[in-house]
Amino acid sequence: MEKLETLIQELYQEGTREKNMEVLSHIRKLAKEEKQFIIPVGDANGEKVYRRLSLDDGQDVFVAFTTQAQVDLGQTTETLNQSVMDVLHMVHDTQGVSGVVLNPWKDSYFLPKVLIEMILDNKNLESEIKVVKGDITTFDGDCIVNAANESLLGGGGVDGAIHRAAGPMLLEECKLLNGCHTGQAKITKVYDLKVKYVIHTVGPIYSGQHEDEHMLRDCYWNSLTLARKNDIHTIAFPAISTGVYGYPIDKAAVVAVDTVKEFIREHPGKIELVRFVLFSADVLAAYEKVIGERTIL
Ligand code: APR
């Protein structure tokens, strides 16, 4: 529960949508782990009832505390422990109640019913990982990732397709980047492309050495880190290194999916959608096989 209090304090400081998603994601995690809130109760006709606060708009809200220390900040009250999941369902199902206030006496957090619904319907909070067959230059999200080479001066495959779709100015900008080491990632403008950013990363030329996997993993991890820094929420990856660079498709698919899942787990609420855009049926099948074998999150 202390982690939740910390996230709420950080939300007060940062006030960003991403931070709020982290708070919601953590409340969902607490609910799944069957953790408990402390609930203030009173007596009505000899029965224990949950205390409510009445708001100016005529709506009521329930109250819940994360820790006894939070309870002790206010006037003395009888309390009971209630599972987070039960509190969320109770608030959600009670008429005339608009939500629940966590820790009303210090760093309070109001959780309205609409966000409770998101938490209970947890797919809204999950970052989605999708696998599609197609041409990555047609992706209309925030960002596409290019499987480039260390010169960043264009080439064939997806690199050539992206440069053709973006137009010659992309190459002019890339010339100023002084190349890119294998596993690293650099970001540019998009010129004639639909998205907001292009992230260029350089996959390993497959050698069969163990290092290949680390460098391919770095491509996905560093691209997502760069995306997060640039407030990118939807991103498309090609099957990096599986073309000219000869990386076996089945092995590359496992590295790609596992790295993306790990990043999303460590940074909940940051990236909403990761789409693997695969150009051929065999690569699509390899990725679908990996996704099918693993629960995404
Ligand atoms: N959209 C999505 N995927 C594509 C597209 C496209 N328009 N064109 C090709 N691909 C796929 C390929 O089918 C392959 O599965 O991208 C994957 C990666 O293949 P390459 O583009 O050959 O990239 P890579 O294997 O990482 O080799 C990089 O190739 O193009 C040169 O300049 C590039 O030197 C670098 C090397």
Side-chain angles (χ1 to χ4, degrees):
M1 284 296 178
E2 283 71 13
K3 169 93 189 284
L4 177 56
E5 291 181 7
T6 304
L7 286 172
I8 292 171
Q9 285 162 6
E10 288 169 0
L11 179 61
Y12 270 93
Q13 288 148 21
E14 295 175 28
T16 60
R17 176 192 172 283
E18 283 76 11
K19 188 50 76 176
N20 193 40
M21 290 298 279
E22 279 191 68
V23 171
L24 294 174
S25 207
H26 193 70
I27 292 173
R28 184 172 58 79
K29 183 168 177 289
L30 293 171
K32 286 176 92 172
E33 290 170 356
E34 297 180 7
K35 298 290 193 239
Q36 296 193 318
F37 282 142
I38 302 171
I39 307 296
V41 294
D43 281 309
N45 309 323
E47 288 207 1
K48 296 283 175 239
V49 291
Y50 293 118
R51 285 190 186 285
R52 294 181 177 188
L53 294 176
S54 294
L55 303 180
D56 300 343
D57 64 1
Q59 288 278 331
D60 283 0
V61 292
F62 281 117
V63 174
F65 296 97
T66 51
T67 56
Q68 187 58 43
Q70 282 285 348
V71 178
D72 297 341
L73 292 174
Q75 67 264 44
T76 308
T77 174
E78 191 180 351
T79 60
L80 58 82
N81 290 346
Q82 186 80 15
S83 80
V84 173
M85 190 65 88
D86 286 351
V87 172
L88 297 179
H89 278 295
M90 174 193 65
V91 174
H92 180 265
D93 299 343
T94 305
Q95 294 297 323
V97 164
S98 60
V100 57
V101 174
L102 296 184
N103 300 334
W105 317 130
K106 180 174 179 286
D107 294 335
S108 66
Y109 180 80
F110 176 56
L111 189 58
K113 272 187 178 173
V114 64
L115 292 184
I116 290 175
E117 280 163 14
M118 271 184 76
I119 291 172
L120 296 176
D121 170 17
N122 65 19
K123 69 174 182 305
N124 291 331
L125 286 178
E126 294 302 334
S127 304
E128 282 189 280
I129 299 181
K130 286 198 177 299
V131 174
V132 296
K133 182 168 178 295
D135 175 353
I136 201 167
T137 63
T138 64
F139 180 63
D140 58 359
D142 294 343
C143 175
I144 58 176
V145 176
N146 180 23
N149 57 57
E150 291 199 330
S151 74
L152 289 187
L153 300 181
V158 69
D159 197 3
I162 288 174
H163 275 274
R164 280 192 300 279
M169 289 308 294
L170 178 60
L171 179 58
E172 293 312 307
E173 184 177 355
C174 286
K175 284 177 183 171
L176 306 176
L177 296 178
N178 299 318
C180 180
H181 293 301
T182 299
Q184 298 305 305
K186 292 193 174 182
I187 196 165
T188 66
K189 299 188 191 81
V190 297
Y191 307 100
D192 299 337
L193 284 164
K194 293 182 194 166
V195 290
K196 296 177 192 159
Y197 295 99
V198 180
I199 288 178
H200 306 263
T201 190
V202 180
I205 298 171
Y206 189 68
S207 67
Q209 303 298 317
H210 196 60
E211 193 52 27
D212 292 343
E213 185 179 323
H214 291 296
M215 288 194 285
L216 185 59
R217 181 191 183 285
D218 283 352
C219 287
Y220 290 96
W221 192 273
N222 293 329
S223 296
L224 288 168
T225 299
L226 203 47
R228 191 178 159 212
K229 281 184 186 148
N230 288 274
D231 199 28
I232 289 164
H233 296 295
T234 56
I235 185 168
F237 283 98
I240 300 167
S241 283
T242 63
V244 167
Y245 283 1
Y247 209 110
I249 295 169
D250 294 339
K251 292 182 179 181
V254 170
V255 174
V257 171
D258 283 358
T259 306
V260 165
K261 277 190 328 152
E262 187 187 343
F263 186 92
I264 287 172
R265 251 201 315 271
E266 284 196 21
H267 305 287
K270 297 287 178 207
I271 305 282
E272 286 168 12
L273 167 70
V274 174
R275 184 176 291 173
F276 291 109
V277 180
L278 309 160
F279 208 52
S280 53
D282 57 334
V283 181
L284 174 68
Y287 272 70
E288 283 178 334
K289 182 170 176 291
V290 175
I291 294 274
E293 285 166 354
R294 287 158 162 76
T295 51
I296 288 298
L297 288 165

